[in-house]
Amino acid sequence: MEIRQLRIGGLLLPSNVLMAPLAGYTCYPFRLLVRRMGAGLCFTEMVSANALKYEDRATRQLLFTTEQEPVKAVQLLGGSPAVMEQMAQSPLLEPFDLIDINMGCPVPNVFKSKEGSALMLDMPRASAIIRACKKSGKPVSVKCRTGIREDEMFAAEFARMCEASGADMITIHGRSRSMMYDGAPHYDEIARAKAAVSIPVIANGGIFSAADAHVMAERTGADGVMIARYALENPFIFSELTKTPCRTSALDLLMEQLELTKTCYDETFTLTYLKKLASYGMKKRKGTKQYKQKLYQCGSLKELAALLVTIFTDR
C-alpha cells in the first residue's frame, strides 16, 4: 500500500494507517504510543453519549487528553440525534478535533439499544445523527460494517448516505454485524463503497500483519487502513508499515506505558490496563500460561514492573 498523508475535512494526518478505537485499550497513553510509532490517528475508546450526558465519572475518564496529543479524535456512541448533537457541542468534547460516530458495534446490548450497527438499519436516523454532530463545526467520521447479515450487505449505499449527510470520512469494517469479529473480510463490499463516494474510505478488519494490510489496501482501493486488535499484540506494525524509525524494545514500550499511565490515572486503572496490554504482547512467548497467572496476581505497580522485566527478557 502507498503510505501518504490523509485529509479529513480540515485536518491533515501524517499517515493513512490508523488505530481503531478499542474499549479498554485506546486510553491516552496508548494513543500517544501508536502515534509515535507512525499511526496517523488513534481514537478514544467508545464513549456513550447518554452516559456523558449524565456526567458519568468513568465515561469522563475516557476523555482524558493533553496538548501532547497532536490530533484528538473521540468516538461517540448513541442513537438519539438530539443527545448526540448536545454532546458533540458540549465543553467535555471541546479539546477534540474530530468526532467519530460508532455505527458498527455489533454486541447485543448495544444493538438492542438501537445504537452502533443497528443504525445501519435506520438510515434516516443515522443521517440525522451525522448532521447533528456536524453542527459542532468539527470534522465528522463514521465507523460502520458491510451490513447486518452476510446475505444482505449494503456498504456502498450506506457510504453514500454518510457522504450526503456531511461525513468527512467513513471507516468500513469488512464484516457484517452477524459475523462479529470472525471470518474473512469482504473486500469487495469495501471496494464498492470506495467507488461510490468521494470522501476518504478507510478499510478495517482482519489485519494481523503488514502483509494483511497491503492485501486490504490493494483489494479495496481504500484511502487507508485501520488496525485493531493486532496493534495490541504488535504495536510495531505502525512503524513497519510507515517506515517510522523505532529502536525501542517491547519491554521498553511497556515500561514507558506504565510510567505514563500512572501519572495520568490511579493505580487500579494502571494495573488493569498494563496487565491487559502485557497479555497481548506476550502471546508468542514461552511459558505464556504460567506468566499470565503471575501477571494477574500482581497487586502493585512495583511487583508488576519486576514481572514484566522477567517476562520480556526471558527467551
Side-chain angles (χ1 to χ4, degrees), residues 172-190:
I172 303 175
H173 184 135
R175 300 182 179 103
S176 65
R177 187 257 167 177
S178 64
M179 293 172 71
M180 298 297 282
Y181 301 102
D182 298 313
H186 289 271
Y187 303 109
D188 55 339
E189 282 295 311
I190 300 176

Side-chain angles (χ1 to χ4, degrees), residues 123-269:
M123 289 203 202
R125 189 158 55 95
S127 175
I129 287 173
I130 295 170
R131 295 177 191 277
C133 289
K134 284 289 288 186
K135 291 180 182 178
S136 67
K138 299 176 180 182
V140 169
S141 60
V142 173
K143 191 169 189 291
C144 67
R145 289 185 167 243
T146 54
I148 302 301
R149 298 181 303 276
E150 280 193 89
D151 61 350
E152 186 181 353
M153 293 191 281
F154 46 91
E157 181 185 357
F158 196 78
R160 281 192 289 267
M161 178 279 295
C162 290
E163 181 177 41
S165 304
D168 297 283
M169 182 182 82
I170 181 167
T171 299
I172 303 175
H173 184 135
R175 300 182 179 103
S176 65
R177 187 257 167 177
S178 64
M179 293 172 71
M180 298 297 282
Y181 301 102
D182 298 313
H186 289 271
Y187 303 109
D188 55 339
E189 282 295 311
I190 300 176
R192 290 189 189 104
K194 167 59 186 168
V197 297
S198 59
I199 58 175
V201 172
I202 305 300
N204 169 235
I207 299 175
F208 294 101
S209 67
D212 288 343
H214 289 300
V215 169
M216 176 66 85
E218 290 168 9
R219 294 189 61 178
T220 64
D223 298 285
V225 297
M226 179 178 283
I227 300 170
R229 289 170 290 169
Y230 181 65
L232 303 176
E233 178 183 337
N234 178 27
F236 296 96
I237 183 65
F238 296 103
S239 176
E240 185 178 349
L241 286 169
T242 64
K243 309 302 181 188
T244 301
C246 178
R247 297 180 180 179
T248 307
S249 68
L251 175 60
D252 287 341
L253 284 185
L254 286 169
M255 298 304 272
E256 288 170 10
Q257 284 288 287
L258 191 155
E259 290 301 316
L260 178 57
T261 307
K262 74 179 186 181
T263 66
C264 304
Y265 306 92
D266 62 26
E267 184 171 7
T268 300
F269 179 97

Side-chain angles (χ1 to χ4, degrees), residues 6 8 11 13 18-23 26 31 41-49 52 63 71-79 84-85 87-89 93 96-105 116-117 119 126 129-134 136-145 158 162 166-173 199-204 226:
L6 179 68
I8 309 174
L11 301 174
L13 307 184
L18 311 185
M19 174 69 208
L22 289 177
T26 52
R31 298 197 302 269
L41 188 63
C42 179
F43 300 81
T44 67
E45 300 174 55
M46 181 177 71
V47 175
S48 166
L52 207 58
L63 299 175
V71 180
K72 304 170 182 65
V74 60
Q75 189 188 68
L76 272 185
L77 172 76
M84 291 290 275
E85 178 179 342
M87 292 303 101
Q89 298 181 61
L93 296 196
F96 291 89
D97 306 296
L98 180 147
I99 296 171
D100 183 69
I101 306 170
N102 186 315
M103 296 190 181
C105 182
S117 58
L119 289 169
I129 287 173
I130 295 170
R131 295 177 191 277
C133 289
K134 284 289 288 186
S136 67
K138 299 176 180 182
V140 169
S141 60
V142 173
K143 191 169 189 291
C144 67
R145 289 185 167 243
F158 196 78
C162 290
D168 297 283
M169 182 182 82
I170 181 167
T171 299
I172 303 175
H173 184 135
I199 58 175
V201 172
I202 305 300
N204 169 235
M226 179 178 283

Side-chain angles (χ1 to χ4, degrees), residues 2-29:
E2 179 188 355
I3 303 300
R4 59 180 183 271
Q5 292 179 317
L6 179 68
R7 184 169 292 281
I8 309 174
L11 301 174
L12 184 63
L13 307 184
S15 85
N16 55 345
V17 182
L18 311 185
M19 174 69 208
L22 289 177
Y25 292 97
T26 52
C27 56
Y28 171 73

